[in-house]
Amino acid sequence: MGCSSIPVGDISPENEAQCSGRGDCLNGTCLCEIRYSGEECSGFNLPYHAGISAVFYFVGFVSLVQLLICIIAEYQRLKQPSFLRACRLTTQKLLYFFVFVAAVLRGAYFTTPETLQPAWVSYLMSLYYPLVMTCASLVVCLWAEIFHLQGIRWERSQFLSKSFLGFLAFNLLPYSLFLAEIAYSHLFSGRSTSFFNGCYAVLLLIVVIFFLIYGVEVFFKVRGGFVYDFGVVPNSENVNASQLHQSRFGLLSQAIMMIVIVGFLTSETLGDFWKKKVPVYSRNWHDIVFRLAEVGVALWFPCCLWNSMAPEQLWILNPRKLLTRQIDPVAPESTEAPAEPSTSATAEEGQSFLAKKDCWICYDTDKPEPLIQPCKCIGDVSSVHHECLRRWLVDSCANSDAVLKCKVCDSPYEIERSNRLDWEKGFTIQHWAKTIIIVTLMCITGAGAWVIIQLNEDSFVRVLVAGFAIIIGYILFKMLGENTVTAIQRAKVSSIYIVTSVNDLQT
């Protein structure tokens, strides 16, 4: 059965009906898109699907083998071998696992295009992007800890510490978006879900930005865990040039491929505006480059994590590999002799301290509570009521990293922790009020975006609204997490007992 040649760009119903809407008519013959075949482009191009699926299955197989080798190697290193301890969660294992799942799902998508229902095919197509974002964001959080935290031996296989909540909070967004896509496709089965691709593109772009920020700081500026407070900076003499070039090439290649995917996801979102206006050759090249970028992003992880038995040899997990020798944070020796304390000055300060014993917080001399000296301060800021100090610490702890130490002399307080947390002082009325406001704003943002998307059929407006809703939701979700963490920290601080360093400060 032939077809009638119609100029490219003609989006009339007659033209769209030709070649099953999957190709262009050229000299009475259907020239199909690369995914389809047949006289009327009604069938699927099996060699294309088999080739792409085989590549993804290969990537998944390699990741699975690397995961098993990693577990076996860790099992053999244990002094008391235990399978459960060998399977403990580490960044390396989690990357292997998520790459394996992403590659297998994408391989399944290309393996059975005819047997699966269209909805399930769409789900397999979309789930790949949250999994890729999980892998990339995990690497970003690891590099962020390497850049900000000092004194941690990153050559040992471990998992995230300080950035785990941020990693978890961000990854709730793409998976929530995936669940929203499933719900939308069930509620509105006849409508296009292409605007979700634009949402994935926005989230992936955020990951790429942070991927480049921390990657440049660690591997281009060679900073992060290499720069210490005392001023030792890596130079050309102690930097491994080969590892440095490999890390920079790996960083840029992955960033470029993810940016390409962001661009193609955006183009897929706007596909209704341009696909029928360009020749089938251009659409085929678009599809091929898109798939190659997806394969490259998935293949990048097992390539960079090639050494499953020794993670300390991998620059992606241990940037110290860039150094030819280990730089130990040893403070420089002082050439000047320490000054001897003045006996007369010490005596005068002691007399002043004994003569004036006021709480530096409340200055209440009639309060029956005894004074304590919890730090090395002397003078009028040395004594304080226990409850005053604890209340001040509770009010000043802004986050879970708050250090319980004196703000003046910088000496840590000697504290005794209780196993029972004071939840009432942590989760206060102000905390619940702030939580209610944040949750309400999140609901209003989601509902408002949903209404606008339903009322507006313009794909560009839908993507724009969804993108703004995701960004606002992310900010609100981050505020909610910080509010909860602060409340937990307040509960922890409220349950401590501060030990005095002076025993005779009784009123």
Side-chain angles (χ1 to χ4, degrees):
M1 183 181 296
C3 61
S4 57
S5 298
I6 299 178
V8 176
D10 186 356
I11 56 175
S12 61
E14 294 80 6
N15 189 22
E16 291 185 351
Q18 292 193 110
C19 302
S20 303
R22 299 172 174 177
D24 294 339
C25 185
L26 183 63
N27 298 326
T29 304
C30 285
L31 186 61
C32 304
E33 295 178 357
I34 193 170
R35 293 176 295 171
Y36 307 102
S37 63
E39 293 184 358
E40 291 292 330
C41 303
S42 57
F44 287 89
N45 187 352
L46 294 182
Y48 167 81
H49 286 84
I52 299 295
S53 62
V55 174
F56 276 109
Y57 281 137
F58 174 76
V59 174
F61 174 75
V62 171
S63 299
L64 180 60
V65 172
Q66 288 177 321
L67 176 60
L68 295 177
I69 293 176
C70 179
I71 294 174
I72 294 173
E74 192 163 338
Y75 178 85
Q76 294 174 346
R77 286 195 299 265
L78 294 174
K79 294 181 179 179
Q80 296 180 350
S82 171
F83 180 74
L84 292 178
R85 291 180 60 190
C87 293
R88 67 186 179 90
L89 189 63
T90 62
T91 303
Q92 185 183 14
K93 296 191 188 77
L94 202 60
L95 286 173
Y96 289 144
F97 174 76
F98 277 110
V99 172
F100 165 73
V101 175
V104 170
L105 289 179
R106 183 45 61 96
Y109 165 77
F110 284 102
T111 301
T112 55
E114 292 180 304
T115 57
L116 292 177
Q117 297 179 357
W120 287 104
V121 172
S122 176
Y123 301 157
L124 290 177
M125 182 77 173
S126 300
L127 186 56
Y128 176 80
Y129 304 113
L131 293 171
V132 168
M133 280 186 270
T134 298
C135 296
S137 61
L138 181 58
V139 174
V140 169
C141 291
L142 175 67
W143 290 349
E145 291 193 355
I146 291 173
F147 183 77
H148 292 293
L149 301 181
Q150 304 292 343
I152 298 180
R153 300 186 64 85
W154 290 105
E155 65 271 15
R156 296 178 180 176
S157 182
Q158 54 184 306
F159 191 55
L160 303 178
S161 56
K162 300 293 184 180
S163 62
F164 175 71
L165 289 178
F167 168 75
L168 191 63
F170 174 80
N171 280 275
L172 284 176
L173 294 177
Y175 291 103
S176 299
L177 187 63
F178 175 71
L179 295 177
E181 182 179 359
I182 295 177
Y184 182 86
S185 61
H186 279 81
L187 293 175
F188 308 97
S189 57
R191 297 188 180 182
S192 173
T193 59
S194 60
F195 64 89
F196 284 99
N197 290 331
C199 300
Y200 292 128
V202 172
L203 292 177
L204 187 57
L205 181 61
I206 295 174
V207 174
V208 174
I209 292 174
F210 282 96
F211 185 84
L212 285 174
I213 288 175
Y214 284 109
V216 168
E217 291 291 342
V218 176
F219 299 106
F220 272 80
K221 297 182 180 179
V222 196
R223 295 176 62 85
F226 309 120
V227 181
Y228 298 96
D229 294 336
F230 56 88
V232 175
V233 181
N235 51 48
S236 58
E237 297 180 357
N238 53 41
V239 172
N240 189 327
S242 175
Q243 288 289 327
L244 185 64
H245 296 326
Q246 291 179 33
S247 63
R248 290 176 174 178
F249 174 76
L251 172 70
L252 291 179
S253 61
Q254 180 71 331
I256 291 173
M257 288 187 292
M258 287 194 293
I259 291 175
V260 169
I261 290 182
V262 170
F264 278 107
L265 282 174
T266 305
S267 67
E268 288 291 327
T269 306
L270 305 175
D272 295 339
F273 298 96
W274 66 270
K275 280 194 173 182
K276 294 300 181 180
K277 299 179 181 180
V278 298
V280 68
Y281 297 105
S282 300
R283 301 201 296 271
N284 287 342
W285 276 111
H286 172 275
D287 192 278
I288 292 173
V289 176
F290 194 5
R291 302 310 163 206
L292 289 177
E294 290 180 338
V295 171
V297 168
L299 187 61
W300 183 85
F301 290 99
C303 288
C304 292
L305 298 168
W306 61 272
N307 197 333
S308 307
M309 302 180 66
E312 68 275 4
Q313 300 297 323
L314 302 172
W315 60 265
I316 185 176
L317 299 179
N318 178 29
R320 293 180 187 273
K321 183 65 178 174
L322 272 62
L323 303 182
T324 56
R325 62 182 179 85
Q326 184 67 42
I327 299 179
D328 295 323
V330 180
E333 297 182 358
S334 176
T335 57
E336 299 181 359
E340 294 292 336
S342 173
T343 306
S344 60
T346 305
E348 291 176 0
E349 291 171 350
Q351 292 295 331
S352 175
F353 167 69
L354 293 175
K356 186 177 181 179
K357 296 187 296 183
D358 293 337
C359 174
W360 63 268
I361 295 179
C362 69
Y363 291 99
D364 186 359
T365 57
D366 298 329
K367 197 171 184 178
E369 183 182 352
L371 297 171
I372 63 172
Q373 184 183 358
C375 61
K376 298 179 181 179
C377 287
I378 58 176
D380 58 352
V381 294
S382 60
S383 55
V384 66
H385 292 123
H386 182 275
E387 285 302 318
C388 291
L389 179 58
R390 184 164 64 176
R391 185 168 57 253
W392 179 79
L393 290 174
V394 169
D395 294 336
S396 62
C397 62
N399 52 63
S400 60
D401 296 330
V403 180
L404 301 181
K405 62 181 181 180
C406 178
K407 304 297 183 182
V408 179
C409 66
D410 206 37
S411 60
Y413 294 127
E414 184 179 352
I415 61 175
E416 295 179 357
R417 296 187 179 272
S418 173
N419 294 329
R420 180 179 176 275
L421 301 183
D422 195 344
W423 296 110
E424 293 182 359
K425 293 183 179 179
F427 291 84
T428 59
I429 297 177
Q430 292 81 359
H431 163 78
W432 290 116
K434 188 175 181 180
T435 301
I436 292 174
I437 293 174
I438 294 175
V439 173
T440 302
L441 291 176
M442 292 175 67
C443 296
I444 293 175
T445 302
W450 179 267
V451 171
I452 295 175
I453 289 174
Q454 294 301 317
L455 296 178
N456 199 310
E457 297 182 356
D458 190 346
S459 299
F460 178 77
V461 175
R462 288 183 172 184
V463 173
L464 190 64
V465 171
F468 276 113
I470 290 174
I471 295 174
I472 296 174
Y474 173 73
I475 296 174
L476 293 174
F477 193 84
K478 182 179 179 182
M479 293 173 59
L480 181 63
E482 292 177 350
N483 188 38
T484 304
V485 171
T486 301
I488 296 175
Q489 178 68 7
R490 288 168 60 91
K492 290 180 180 179
V493 177
S494 299
S495 62
I496 66 173
Y497 177 77
I498 306 167
V499 181
T500 180
S501 60
V502 177
N503 297 324
D504 57 350
L505 292 178
Q506 302 293 331
T507 56

